[in-house]
Amino acid sequence: MLSTTGLPQGAVPKLERPGPLRDRVFEALLELIVTRSLQPGQHLVESELAGHLGVSRQPVREALQRLNTEGWVDLRPAQGAFVHEPTEEEADQLLTVRTLLEAEAARLAAAHASDAGISVLEELCTEGERAVATDDVDAAVALNARLHAKVIELAGNTVLAELAAQVDRRVRWYYTPVARQRGRQSWIEHRELIAAIAAHDDRRATEVMRAHTEQTRKMYHEREKQPPGASGQSGP
């Protein structure tokens, strides 16, 4: 059963009181947006969100203000708060930057990765393949993010890691709608990437990562141009 906010009843855990409550409300709402439990364009009603999270309206109001400042929510006069609907240009700019950062991360990872680090990549890839096989989109999205984060960690460049962290959540936001369509092919590409890193072939790793991230960008744009349901795939 869905509430008027579109969230499954009981799906959102109540927040515990200890700690900086407004920050925790912000993080909870942001995660719901990133995972598209709250859809782009969806109206956000303070009282209903407060009820879902088990808090008063004040921390929700503060969180919505912060989400507006950071570009996740649009506050419209006399209408209220709505989840931001990304434009084609916004998506293209972010996913282009992601390609640049991650291609460089792959190159550095191929040069510096240890056997232990490569083993972690292989384990994450196996888990991701299992998630795809069971059609667990949420797990596949999370594992995709973890694998890419591990590549960035293995690159050993602190500045690059900080820049990548700034775009990580928005990358997840754009990736979630195409995760099912990318499906098994995405993890085949991950296997190719891991093989290049394990072989310490920095040129090949760069090429594979660039092609991999560009394919996600292309598919996102293709999906956005289709009318609802035209792809024949249900949303995650």
Side-chain angles (χ1 to χ4, degrees), residues 8 41 108 159 189 199 218:
L108 293 172
V159 175
E189 293 162 12
K218 178 182 177 183

Side-chain angles (χ1 to χ4, degrees), residues 57-135:
R57 292 176 63 175
Q58 182 60 31
V60 172
R61 185 177 300 115
E62 293 173 351
L64 291 176
Q65 290 284 352
R66 182 177 167 189
L67 288 165
N68 172 248
T69 299
E70 298 190 13
W72 293 99
V73 164
D74 297 327
L75 298 180
R76 303 174 189 170
Q79 295 184 55
F82 297 80
V83 178
H84 180 65
E85 296 183 77
T87 66
E88 286 283 302
E89 183 178 6
E90 287 172 352
D92 196 65
Q93 289 179 359
L94 182 99
L95 294 173
T96 297
V97 169
R98 180 217 186 187
T99 294
L100 294 171
L101 291 173
E102 299 210 13
E104 177 63 7
R107 184 185 72 81
L108 293 172
H112 302 300
S114 64
D115 290 344
I118 293 166
S119 293
V120 172
L121 290 177
E122 290 173 341
E123 291 168 7
L124 289 170
C125 196
T126 298
E127 291 182 48
E129 291 163 345
R130 188 177 301 121
V132 169
T134 58
D135 199 30

Side-chain angles (χ1 to χ4, degrees), residues 1-83:
M1 178 179 179
L2 297 180
S3 72
T4 54
T5 61
L7 293 171
Q9 294 284 1
V12 182
K14 298 294 188 291
L15 298 179
E16 296 179 4
R17 292 288 175 175
L21 187 59
R22 62 184 176 186
D23 290 345
R24 299 179 71 181
V25 170
F26 169 84
E27 289 294 330
L29 292 179
L30 179 54
E31 189 64 16
L32 290 170
I33 291 171
V34 169
T35 59
R36 301 205 175 214
S37 295
L38 294 171
Q39 291 283 325
Q42 186 169 337
H43 188 202
L44 303 174
V45 181
E46 288 181 9
S47 59
E48 293 174 355
L49 293 172
H52 276 294
L53 298 173
V55 299
S56 68
R57 292 176 63 175
Q58 182 60 31
V60 172
R61 185 177 300 115
E62 293 173 351
L64 291 176
Q65 290 284 352
R66 182 177 167 189
L67 288 165
N68 172 248
T69 299
E70 298 190 13
W72 293 99
V73 164
D74 297 327
L75 298 180
R76 303 174 189 170
Q79 295 184 55
F82 297 80
V83 178

Side-chain angles (χ1 to χ4, degrees), residues 8 21 42 59-60 62 103 127 150-151 157 171 196 213 226-228:
L21 187 59
Q42 186 169 337
V60 172
E62 293 173 351
E127 291 182 48
K150 186 63 181 180
V151 172
N157 185 307
V171 168
T213 54
Q226 294 175 343

